[in-house]
Coordinates of all heavy atoms in Angstrom, one line a residue:
M29 N 81.4 102.4 92.6 CA 81.6 101.6 91.4 C 83.1 101.9 90.9 O 83.5 103.1 90.9 CB 80.7 102.1 90.3 CG 80.8 101.2 89.0 SD 79.6 101.7 87.8 CE 80.5 103.0 86.8
K30 N 83.8 100.8 90.6 CA 85.1 100.9 90.3 C 85.2 101.2 88.7 O 84.3 100.8 88.0 CB 85.8 99.6 90.5 CG 87.3 99.7 90.7 CD 87.8 98.4 91.3 CE 89.3 98.2 91.0 NZ 89.8 96.9 91.5
V31 N 86.2 102.0 88.2 CA 86.2 102.2 86.8 C 87.6 101.7 86.3 O 88.6 101.9 86.9 CB 86.2 103.7 86.5 CG1 86.4 104.0 85.1 CG2 85.0 104.4 87.0
G32 N 87.4 100.8 85.3 CA 88.6 100.2 84.7 C 88.7 100.5 83.2 O 88.3 101.5 82.8
K33 N 89.4 99.6 82.5 CA 89.5 99.8 81.1 C 88.4 99.1 80.3 O 88.0 98.0 80.7 CB 90.8 99.1 80.7 CG 92.0 99.9 80.6 CD 93.1 99.1 80.0 CE 94.3 100.0 79.7 NZ 95.5 99.2 79.4
L34 N 88.0 99.7 79.2 CA 87.1 99.0 78.3 C 87.8 97.8 77.6 O 88.9 98.0 77.1 CB 86.5 100.0 77.2 CG 85.5 101.1 77.8 CD1 85.2 102.0 76.7 CD2 84.3 100.4 78.5
V35 N 87.1 96.7 77.5 CA 87.6 95.5 76.8 C 86.6 95.1 75.8 O 85.4 95.1 76.0 CB 88.0 94.4 77.7 CG1 89.1 94.8 78.7 CG2 86.8 93.9 78.5
P36 N 87.1 94.6 74.6 CA 86.1 94.1 73.7 C 85.8 92.7 73.9 O 86.7 92.0 74.2 CB 86.9 94.3 72.3 CG 88.4 94.2 72.7 CD 88.5 94.7 74.1
L37 N 84.5 92.3 73.7 CA 84.1 91.0 73.9 C 83.8 90.2 72.6 O 84.1 89.0 72.5 CB 82.7 90.9 74.7 CG 82.8 91.5 76.2 CD1 81.4 91.4 76.8 CD2 83.8 90.7 77.0
C38 N 83.4 90.9 71.6 CA 83.1 90.3 70.3 C 82.7 91.5 69.3 O 82.6 92.6 69.8 CB 82.0 89.3 70.4 SG 80.3 90.0 70.9
G39 N 82.5 91.1 68.1 CA 82.0 92.1 67.1 C 80.5 92.2 67.2 O 79.8 91.2 67.5
V40 N 80.0 93.4 66.9 CA 78.6 93.6 67.0 C 77.8 92.7 65.9 O 76.8 92.0 66.2 CB 78.2 95.1 66.6 CG1 76.7 95.2 66.5 CG2 78.7 96.0 67.6
S41 N 78.6 92.5 64.8 CA 78.0 91.6 63.8 C 78.0 90.1 64.1 O 77.5 89.3 63.4 CB 78.6 91.9 62.5 OG 80.0 91.6 62.5
D42 N 78.7 89.7 65.2 CA 78.8 88.4 65.6 C 77.5 87.9 66.2 O 77.3 86.6 66.4 CB 79.9 88.1 66.6 CG 81.3 88.4 66.0 OD1 81.4 88.4 64.7 OD2 82.2 88.7 66.7
V43 N 76.7 88.7 66.7 CA 75.5 88.4 67.5 C 74.2 88.8 66.6 O 74.0 90.0 66.5 CB 75.3 89.1 68.8 CG1 74.4 88.3 69.7 CG2 76.7 89.3 69.5
A44 N 73.6 87.9 66.1 CA 72.4 88.1 65.2 C 71.3 88.6 66.1 O 71.2 88.2 67.3 CB 72.0 87.0 64.4
S45 N 70.3 89.3 65.5 CA 69.2 89.8 66.4 C 68.4 88.5 66.9 O 68.2 87.6 66.2 CB 68.2 90.7 65.4 OG 67.1 91.2 66.1
G46 N 68.0 88.7 68.1 CA 67.2 87.6 68.8 C 68.1 86.4 69.2 O 67.6 85.4 69.6
C47 N 69.5 86.7 69.3 CA 70.5 85.6 69.6 C 71.4 86.1 70.7 O 71.3 87.2 71.1 CB 71.3 85.2 68.4 SG 70.3 84.5 67.1
A48 N 72.1 85.1 71.2 CA 73.1 85.4 72.3 C 74.4 84.7 72.0 O 74.4 83.7 71.2 CB 72.6 84.9 73.6
L49 N 75.4 85.2 72.6 CA 76.8 84.7 72.3 C 77.5 84.7 73.7 O 77.4 85.5 74.4 CB 77.6 85.7 71.3 CG 78.9 85.3 70.9 CD1 78.8 84.5 69.7 CD2 79.7 86.6 70.6
R50 N 78.3 83.6 73.9 CA 79.1 83.5 75.1 C 80.5 84.1 74.8 O 81.1 83.9 73.7 CB 79.3 82.0 75.3 CG 80.2 81.6 76.5 CD 80.4 80.1 76.4 NE 81.6 79.6 77.2 CZ 81.6 79.4 78.5 NH1 80.4 79.3 79.1 NH2 82.7 79.0 79.0
A51 N 81.0 84.9 75.7 CA 82.2 85.6 75.6 C 83.0 85.5 76.8 O 82.5 85.8 77.9 CB 81.9 87.0 75.2
E52 N 84.2 85.0 76.8 CA 85.1 84.9 77.9 C 86.1 86.0 77.9 O 86.7 86.3 76.8 CB 85.9 83.6 77.9 CG 85.0 82.4 78.2 CD 85.7 81.2 78.4 OE1 86.8 81.2 79.1 OE2 85.3 80.1 77.8
C53 N 86.4 86.6 79.0 CA 87.3 87.7 79.1 C 87.9 87.7 80.5 O 87.1 87.9 81.5 CB 86.7 89.0 78.7 SG 87.8 90.5 78.7
G54 N 89.2 87.7 80.6 CA 89.8 87.9 81.9 C 89.3 86.8 83.0 O 89.2 87.2 84.1
G55 N 89.0 85.7 82.6 CA 88.6 84.6 83.5 C 87.1 84.7 83.8 O 86.6 83.9 84.6
S56 N 86.3 85.7 83.3 CA 84.9 85.8 83.5 C 84.2 85.4 82.2 O 84.7 85.5 81.2 CB 84.5 87.2 83.9 OG 85.2 87.5 85.1
V57 N 82.9 85.0 82.4 CA 82.2 84.6 81.2 C 80.9 85.5 81.2 O 80.2 85.6 82.1 CB 81.8 83.1 81.3 CG1 81.1 82.7 80.0 CG2 83.0 82.2 81.5
Y58 N 80.7 86.0 79.9 CA 79.6 86.9 79.7 C 78.6 86.4 78.7 O 79.0 85.5 77.9 CB 80.1 88.3 79.3 CG 81.1 88.9 80.2 CD1 82.5 88.7 80.0 CD2 80.7 89.7 81.2 CE1 83.4 89.2 80.9 CE2 81.6 90.3 82.1 CZ 83.0 90.1 81.9 OH 83.9 90.6 82.8
A59 N 77.4 86.8 78.7 CA 76.5 86.6 77.6 C 76.2 87.9 76.9 O 75.8 88.8 77.6 CB 75.1 85.9 78.2
V60 N 76.4 87.9 75.6 CA 76.2 89.1 74.8 C 74.9 88.8 74.1 O 74.7 87.8 73.4 CB 77.3 89.4 73.8 CG1 77.0 90.6 73.1 CG2 78.6 89.4 74.6
F61 N 73.9 89.8 74.2 CA 72.6 89.5 73.6 C 72.3 90.7 72.5 O 72.8 91.8 72.7 CB 71.5 89.7 74.6 CG 71.4 88.6 75.6 CD1 72.1 88.7 76.9 CD2 70.8 87.4 75.4 CE1 72.1 87.7 77.7 CE2 70.8 86.3 76.4 CZ 71.4 86.5 77.6
N62 N 71.6 90.3 71.5 CA 71.1 91.2 70.6 C 69.6 91.3 70.6 O 69.0 90.3 70.2 CB 71.6 91.0 69.1 CG 71.1 91.9 68.1 OD1 70.1 92.5 68.2 ND2 71.9 92.0 66.9
V63 N 69.0 92.3 71.3 CA 67.5 92.4 71.3 C 67.0 93.4 70.3 O 67.2 94.7 70.5 CB 67.1 92.7 72.8 CG1 65.6 92.9 72.8 CG2 67.6 91.7 73.7
E64 N 66.7 92.9 69.2 CA 66.2 93.8 68.1 C 67.1 94.9 67.8 O 66.7 96.1 67.7 CB 64.8 94.3 68.4 CG 63.8 93.2 68.4 CD 62.4 93.7 68.8 OE1 62.2 94.9 69.0 OE2 61.5 92.8 69.0
G65 N 68.4 94.6 67.8 CA 69.5 95.5 67.3 C 70.1 96.2 68.5 O 71.2 96.8 68.4
A66 N 69.5 96.1 69.7 CA 70.2 96.7 70.9 C 71.1 95.6 71.6 O 70.6 94.5 71.9 CB 69.1 97.1 71.9
I67 N 72.3 96.0 71.8 CA 73.3 94.9 72.4 C 73.4 95.2 73.9 O 73.4 96.3 74.4 CB 74.7 95.2 71.8 CG1 74.7 95.1 70.3 CG2 75.6 94.2 72.4 CD1 74.4 93.7 69.7
H68 N 73.2 94.0 74.7 CA 73.3 94.0 76.1 C 74.2 92.8 76.5 O 74.4 91.9 75.9 CB 71.9 93.7 76.7 CG 70.8 94.6 76.2 ND1 70.7 95.8 76.8 CD2 69.9 94.5 75.3 CE1 69.6 96.5 76.3 NE2 69.2 95.7 75.4
V69 N 74.9 93.2 77.7 CA 75.8 92.1 78.2 C 75.4 91.9 79.7 O 75.2 92.8 80.5 CB 77.3 92.7 78.2 CG1 78.2 91.7 78.9 CG2 77.8 92.8 76.8
T70 N 75.3 90.6 80.0 CA 75.0 90.1 81.4 C 76.0 89.0 81.7 O 76.8 88.6 80.8 CB 73.6 89.5 81.4 OG1 73.6 88.2 80.8 CG2 72.5 90.3 80.8
Q71 N 76.0 88.7 83.0 CA 76.8 87.5 83.3 C 76.2 86.3 82.6 O 75.0 86.2 82.3 CB 76.7 87.3 84.9 CG 75.4 86.9 85.4 CD 75.2 87.0 86.9 OE1 75.2 88.0 87.5 NE2 75.1 85.7 87.5
D72 N 77.1 85.3 82.3 CA 76.5 84.1 81.5 C 75.9 83.1 82.5 O 74.9 82.5 82.1 CB 77.7 83.5 80.8 CG 77.1 82.4 79.9 OD1 76.2 82.6 79.1 OD2 77.7 81.2 80.0
E73 N 76.4 83.0 83.7 CA 75.9 82.0 84.6 C 74.6 82.5 85.3 O 74.5 83.6 85.8 CB 77.0 81.6 85.7 CG 76.4 80.4 86.5 CD 77.5 79.9 87.4 OE1 78.0 80.8 88.3 OE2 77.8 78.8 87.5
C74 N 73.5 81.6 85.2 CA 72.3 81.9 85.8 C 72.5 82.2 87.4 O 73.4 81.6 88.0 CB 71.4 80.8 85.6 SG 69.6 81.0 86.3
T75 N 71.7 83.0 87.9 CA 71.8 83.3 89.4 C 71.1 82.2 90.2 O 71.2 82.1 91.4 CB 71.2 84.6 89.8 OG1 69.8 84.7 89.3 CG2 71.9 85.7 89.1
H76 N 70.4 81.2 89.5 CA 69.7 80.1 90.2 C 70.5 78.9 90.3 O 70.3 78.1 91.1 CB 68.4 79.9 89.6 CG 67.6 78.8 90.2 ND1 67.5 77.5 89.6 CD2 67.0 78.6 91.4 CE1 66.9 76.8 90.4 NE2 66.5 77.4 91.5
G77 N 71.5 78.8 89.4 CA 72.3 77.5 89.3 C 73.3 77.6 88.1 O 73.7 78.7 87.6
P78 N 73.6 76.4 87.6 CA 74.7 76.4 86.6 C 74.3 76.6 85.1 O 75.1 76.4 84.2 CB 75.2 74.9 86.7 CG 73.9 74.2 87.2 CD 73.1 75.0 88.0
G79 N 73.0 77.1 84.9 CA 72.6 77.3 83.5 C 73.4 78.4 82.8 O 73.8 79.4 83.5
S80 N 73.8 78.2 81.5 CA 74.5 79.2 80.8 C 73.4 80.0 80.0 O 72.8 79.5 79.1 CB 75.4 78.5 79.8 OG 75.9 79.4 78.9
L81 N 73.3 81.2 80.3 CA 72.3 82.0 79.7 C 72.5 82.3 78.1 O 71.6 82.6 77.4 CB 72.0 83.3 80.4 CG 71.5 83.1 81.8 CD1 71.5 84.3 82.7 CD2 70.2 82.4 81.8
S82 N 73.8 82.3 77.7 CA 74.0 82.4 76.3 C 73.5 81.2 75.5 O 73.4 81.3 74.3 CB 75.5 82.7 76.0 OG 76.3 81.5 76.5
E83 N 73.2 80.1 76.2 CA 72.7 78.9 75.6 C 71.1 78.9 75.8 O 70.4 77.9 75.5 CB 73.2 77.7 76.2 CG 74.7 77.5 75.8 CD 75.5 76.4 76.4 OE1 74.8 75.5 77.0 OE2 76.7 76.5 76.4
G84 N 70.6 80.0 76.4 CA 69.1 80.0 76.7 C 68.3 80.4 75.4 O 68.9 80.6 74.4
Y85 N 67.1 80.7 75.7 CA 66.2 81.1 74.6 C 65.8 82.5 74.8 O 65.3 82.9 75.8 CB 64.9 80.2 74.7 CG 65.2 78.7 74.6 CD1 65.2 78.0 75.7 CD2 65.6 78.1 73.3 CE1 65.6 76.6 75.7 CE2 65.9 76.8 73.3 CZ 65.9 76.0 74.4 OH 66.3 74.7 74.4
V86 N 66.1 83.3 73.7 CA 65.8 84.7 73.8 C 64.2 84.9 73.3 O 63.9 84.4 72.2 CB 66.7 85.6 72.9 CG1 66.2 87.0 72.9 CG2 68.1 85.4 73.4
L87 N 63.5 85.4 74.2 CA 62.0 85.5 74.0 C 61.7 87.0 74.1 O 61.6 87.5 75.1 CB 61.1 84.7 75.0 CG 61.6 83.2 75.1 CD1 61.1 82.8 76.5 CD2 61.0 82.5 74.0
D88 N 61.6 87.7 72.9 CA 61.4 89.1 73.0 C 62.6 89.8 73.7 O 63.7 89.6 73.3 CB 60.1 89.6 73.5 CG 58.9 89.0 72.6 OD1 59.2 89.0 71.4 OD2 57.9 88.7 73.1
D89 N 62.3 90.5 74.9 CA 63.4 91.1 75.6 C 63.7 90.3 76.9 O 64.3 90.9 77.8 CB 62.9 92.5 76.1 CG 61.6 92.6 76.8 OD1 61.0 91.5 77.1 OD2 61.3 93.6 77.3
E90 N 63.4 89.0 76.9 CA 63.9 88.2 78.0 C 64.7 87.0 77.5 O 64.5 86.6 76.4 CB 62.5 87.7 78.8 CG 61.8 88.8 79.4 CD 60.6 88.3 80.3 OE1 60.3 87.0 80.2 OE2 60.1 89.1 81.0
V91 N 65.4 86.4 78.5 CA 66.1 85.2 78.2 C 65.6 84.1 79.1 O 65.4 84.3 80.4 CB 67.6 85.3 78.3 CG1 68.1 85.7 79.6 CG2 68.3 84.0 77.8
E92 N 65.4 82.9 78.6 CA 64.9 81.8 79.4 C 66.1 80.8 79.6 O 66.7 80.4 78.7 CB 63.8 81.1 78.7 CG 63.3 79.9 79.6 CD 62.1 79.1 78.9 OE1 61.0 79.5 79.0 OE2 62.4 78.2 78.1
C93 N 66.4 80.6 80.9 CA 67.5 79.7 81.2 C 67.2 78.3 80.8 O 66.1 77.8 80.9 CB 67.7 79.7 82.8 SG 69.0 78.6 83.3
P94 N 68.2 77.6 80.1 CA 68.0 76.3 79.6 C 67.9 75.3 80.6 O 67.6 74.1 80.4 CB 69.2 76.0 78.6 CG 70.3 76.9 79.1 CD 69.6 78.2 79.8
F95 N 68.2 75.6 81.9 CA 68.4 74.6 83.0 C 67.0 74.3 83.7 O 66.6 73.2 83.7 CB 69.4 75.1 84.0 CG 70.3 73.9 84.5 CD1 71.3 73.4 83.7 CD2 70.2 73.4 85.7 CE1 72.1 72.4 84.1 CE2 71.0 72.4 86.2 CZ 71.9 71.8 85.4
H96 N 66.5 75.4 84.2 CA 65.1 75.2 84.9 C 64.0 76.2 84.4 O 63.0 76.4 85.0 CB 65.2 75.4 86.5 CG 66.2 74.6 87.2 ND1 67.4 75.1 87.7 CD2 66.3 73.3 87.3 CE1 68.1 74.2 88.2 NE2 67.4 73.0 88.0
Q97 N 64.4 76.8 83.3 CA 63.5 77.8 82.6 C 63.0 78.9 83.4 O 62.0 79.5 83.2 CB 62.2 77.0 82.1 CG 62.3 76.0 81.0 CD 63.1 74.8 81.4 OE1 62.7 74.1 82.4 NE2 64.1 74.4 80.7
G98 N 63.9 79.4 84.3 CA 63.8 80.7 84.9 C 64.0 81.8 83.8 O 64.6 81.5 82.8
R99 N 63.4 82.9 84.1 CA 63.6 84.0 83.0 C 64.1 85.3 83.6 O 63.9 85.6 84.7 CB 62.3 84.2 82.3 CG 61.9 83.2 81.4 CD 60.7 83.8 80.6 NE 59.9 82.7 80.1 CZ 58.7 82.8 79.6 NH1 58.1 84.0 79.5 NH2 58.1 81.7 79.2
F100 N 64.8 86.0 82.7 CA 65.4 87.3 83.1 C 65.1 88.4 82.1 O 65.1 88.0 80.9 CB 66.8 87.3 83.2 CG 67.3 86.3 84.3 CD1 67.6 84.9 83.9 CD2 67.5 86.7 85.6 CE1 68.0 84.1 84.9 CE2 67.9 85.8 86.5 CZ 68.2 84.4 86.3
H101 N 64.8 89.6 82.5 CA 64.8 90.7 81.6 C 66.2 91.1 81.2 O 67.0 91.4 82.1 CB 64.0 91.9 82.2 CG 63.9 93.1 81.4 ND1 64.5 94.3 81.6 CD2 63.1 93.2 80.2 CE1 64.2 95.2 80.7 NE2 63.4 94.5 79.8
I102 N 66.5 91.0 79.9 CA 67.9 91.1 79.5 C 68.5 92.5 79.7 O 69.6 92.6 80.2 CB 68.0 90.8 78.0 CG1 67.7 89.3 77.8 CG2 69.3 91.1 77.5 CD1 67.4 88.9 76.3
A103 N 67.8 93.6 79.5 CA 68.4 94.9 79.6 C 68.6 95.2 81.1 O 69.7 95.9 81.4 CB 67.5 96.0 79.0
S104 N 67.8 94.8 82.0 CA 68.0 95.2 83.4 C 68.5 94.1 84.3 O 69.1 94.3 85.3 CB 66.6 95.6 84.0 OG 65.7 94.4 84.0
G105 N 68.5 92.9 83.8 CA 68.9 91.7 84.5 C 67.8 91.2 85.5 O 68.1 90.2 86.2
R106 N 66.7 91.8 85.7 CA 65.7 91.5 86.6 C 65.2 90.1 86.4 O 64.9 89.7 85.2 CB 64.6 92.5 86.4 CG 63.5 92.4 87.4 CD 62.6 93.7 87.3 NE 62.4 94.1 85.9 CZ 61.3 93.7 85.2 NH1 60.5 92.9 85.6 NH2 61.2 94.2 83.9
A107 N 65.0 89.3 87.4 CA 64.4 88.0 87.3 C 63.0 88.1 87.2 O 62.3 88.9 87.8 CB 64.7 87.2 88.5
T108 N 62.4 87.5 86.1 CA 60.9 87.7 85.8 C 60.1 86.4 85.9 O 58.9 86.5 85.9 CB 60.8 88.3 84.3 OG1 61.4 87.3 83.5 CG2 61.4 89.6 84.2
F109 N 60.7 85.3 86.1 CA 60.0 84.0 86.1 C 60.7 83.1 87.0 O 61.9 82.8 86.9 CB 59.7 83.5 84.7 CG 58.6 82.5 84.7 CD1 57.3 82.8 84.7 CD2 59.0 81.1 84.6 CE1 56.4 81.8 84.6 CE2 58.0 80.1 84.4 CZ 56.6 80.5 84.5
A110 N 60.1 82.4 87.9 CA 60.6 81.4 88.9 C 61.0 80.2 88.1 O 60.6 80.0 87.0 CB 59.5 81.0 89.9
P111 N 62.1 79.5 88.6 CA 62.6 79.7 89.9 C 63.7 80.7 90.1 O 64.3 80.9 91.1 CB 63.3 78.3 90.2 CG 63.7 77.8 88.8 CD 62.6 78.3 87.9
A112 N 64.0 81.6 89.0 CA 65.1 82.6 89.1 C 64.5 83.7 89.9 O 63.3 84.2 89.8 CB 65.3 83.1 87.7
T113 N 65.2 84.2 91.0 CA 64.7 85.3 91.8 C 65.7 86.4 91.9 O 65.3 87.6 92.1 CB 64.4 84.8 93.2 OG1 65.5 84.1 93.8 CG2 63.2 83.9 93.2
E114 N 67.0 86.1 91.8 CA 68.1 87.0 92.0 C 68.4 87.6 90.6 O 68.5 86.9 89.6 CB 69.4 86.4 92.5 CG 69.2 85.9 94.0 CD 69.0 87.0 94.9 OE1 69.7 88.0 94.9 OE2 68.0 86.8 95.8
P115 N 68.6 88.9 90.5 CA 68.9 89.5 89.2 C 70.3 89.2 88.7 O 71.2 88.9 89.5 CB 68.9 91.1 89.6 CG 69.1 91.2 91.0 CD 68.6 89.9 91.7
L116 N 70.5 89.3 87.4 CA 71.7 89.2 86.7 C 72.5 90.5 86.8 O 71.9 91.6 86.9 CB 71.6 88.8 85.3 CG 70.8 87.6 84.9 CD1 70.6 87.6 83.4 CD2 71.6 86.4 85.3
K117 N 73.9 90.4 86.9 CA 74.7 91.5 86.7 C 74.6 92.0 85.3 O 74.7 91.1 84.3 CB 76.0 91.3 87.0 CG 76.4 91.2 88.6 CD 77.8 90.9 88.8 CE 78.1 90.5 90.2 NZ 79.3 89.8 90.4
V118 N 74.5 93.3 84.9 CA 74.5 93.7 83.5 C 75.6 94.8 83.4 O 75.8 95.5 84.4 CB 73.1 94.3 83.1 CG1 72.1 93.2 83.1 CG2 72.7 95.5 84.0
W119 N 76.2 94.8 82.3 CA 77.3 95.8 82.1 C 76.9 96.8 81.0 O 76.1 96.5 80.1 CB 78.5 95.1 81.6 CG 79.4 94.4 82.7 CD1 80.5 94.9 83.3 CD2 79.1 93.2 83.2 NE1 80.8 94.1 84.3 CE2 80.1 93.0 84.3 CE3 78.1 92.2 83.1 CZ2 80.1 91.8 85.1 CZ3 78.1 91.0 83.9 CH2 79.1 90.9 84.8
K120 N 77.3 98.0 81.3 CA 77.0 99.1 80.3 C 77.8 98.8 79.1 O 79.0 98.5 79.1 CB 77.5 100.4 80.9 CG 77.0 101.6 80.2 CD 77.2 102.8 81.0 CE 77.5 103.9 80.0 NZ 78.4 105.1 80.6
V121 N 77.2 98.8 77.9 CA 77.9 98.5 76.6 C 78.3 99.8 75.9 O 77.5 100.7 75.8 CB 76.9 97.6 75.7 CG1 77.5 97.4 74.4 CG2 76.6 96.2 76.4
Q122 N 79.4 99.7 75.4 CA 79.8 100.8 74.4 C 80.3 100.1 73.1 O 81.1 99.1 73.2 CB 81.0 101.6 75.0 CG 80.5 102.5 76.2 CD 81.6 103.5 76.5 OE1 82.1 104.2 75.7 NE2 81.9 103.5 77.8
I123 N 79.9 100.6 72.1 CA 80.3 100.0 70.8 C 81.4 100.9 70.2 O 81.2 102.1 70.0 CB 79.1 100.1 69.7 CG1 77.8 99.3 70.3 CG2 79.5 99.3 68.4 CD1 78.0 97.8 70.7
I124 N 82.6 100.3 70.0 CA 83.7 101.0 69.5 C 84.3 100.3 68.4 O 84.7 99.1 68.5 CB 84.8 101.1 70.7 CG1 84.2 101.9 71.8 CG2 86.0 101.9 70.1 CD1 85.1 102.0 73.1
D125 N 84.4 100.9 67.3 CA 84.9 100.3 66.0 C 84.2 98.9 65.7 O 84.9 98.0 65.3 CB 86.4 100.1 66.0 CG 87.2 101.5 66.1 OD1 86.5 102.5 65.6 OD2 88.3 101.4 66.6
G126 N 82.9 98.9 65.9 CA 82.2 97.7 65.6 C 82.3 96.6 66.6 O 81.8 95.5 66.3
K127 N 82.9 96.9 67.7 CA 83.2 95.8 68.8 C 82.3 96.2 70.0 O 82.1 97.4 70.3 CB 84.6 95.9 69.3 CG 85.6 95.6 68.2 CD 86.0 94.2 68.2 CE 87.1 93.9 67.2 NZ 86.8 92.7 66.4
V128 N 81.8 95.1 70.7 CA 81.0 95.2 71.9 C 82.0 95.3 73.0 O 82.7 94.4 73.3 CB 80.1 94.0 72.0 CG1 79.4 94.1 73.4 CG2 79.1 93.9 70.9
C129 N 82.0 96.5 73.7 CA 83.0 96.7 74.8 C 82.3 97.0 76.1 O 81.3 97.6 76.1 CB 83.9 97.9 74.4 SG 84.8 97.8 72.9
I130 N 82.9 96.5 77.1 CA 82.4 96.7 78.5 C 83.6 96.9 79.4 O 84.8 96.7 79.0 CB 81.6 95.5 79.1 CG1 82.6 94.3 79.2 CG2 80.4 95.2 78.3 CD1 82.2 93.3 80.2
D131 N 83.3 97.6 80.6 CA 84.4 97.7 81.7 C 84.1 96.6 82.6 O 83.1 96.6 83.4 CB 84.2 99.1 82.3 CG 85.1 99.2 83.4 OD1 85.9 98.3 83.7 OD2 85.1 100.3 84.1
P132 N 84.9 95.6 82.7 CA 84.7 94.4 83.5 C 84.7 94.8 85.1 O 84.1 94.1 85.8 CB 85.9 93.4 83.3 CG 86.4 93.9 82.0 CD 86.2 95.4 81.8
A133 N 85.4 96.0 85.3 CA 85.5 96.4 86.7 C 84.1 97.0 87.3 O 84.0 97.4 88.5 CB 86.6 97.3 86.9
E134 N 83.1 97.2 86.4 CA 82.0 97.9 86.8 C 81.3 97.4 88.0 O 80.7 98.1 88.8 CB 81.0 97.9 85.5 CG 79.8 98.7 85.7 CD 78.9 98.7 84.5 OE1 79.5 98.7 83.2 OE2 77.7 98.7 84.6
H135 N 81.3 96.1 88.3 CA 80.6 95.5 89.4 C 81.6 95.2 90.5 O 81.3 94.6 91.5 CB 79.9 94.2 89.0 CG 78.7 94.5 88.1 ND1 77.6 95.1 88.7 CD2 78.5 94.5 86.8 CE1 76.7 95.4 87.7 NE2 77.2 95.0 86.6
E136 N 82.9 95.6 90.4 CA 83.8 95.4 91.6 C 83.6 96.6 92.5 O 83.3 97.7 92.1 CB 85.3 95.4 91.0 CG 85.6 94.2 90.2 CD 87.0 94.1 89.6 OE1 87.8 95.0 90.0 OE2 87.1 93.4 88.7
A137 N 83.7 96.3 93.8 CA 83.6 97.3 94.9 C 84.7 98.3 94.8 O 85.7 98.1 94.4 CB 83.5 96.6 96.2
Ligands
LIG23 S1 69.8 77.3 86.7 FE1 68.8 78.8 85.7 S2 66.8 78.6 86.4 FE2 67.9 77.2 87.5

């Protein structure tokens, strides 16, 4: 795993509980989720197709893709309902000064 710099995606207070937010950074698009106060970051694009998961439906600890209704466990990225089968990339979140921060290089080889 490569280690890079932490970058802020948004403020913690920008994402209400049970909601998601789209965040762009360095040419990549992320989905920031608030699951009952716990913040998680995944890739925004569904692994099954062009669905944007930040526009999906948060159902407890899962997100349903708005395109074909595949589902993912938000914290782990695991696909939980067809037609989604491939997991999402998830980033480790650090909250610094009220900002949601990740290291975008975490998934680079
Ligand atoms: S694009 Fe997300 S389930 Fe098909």
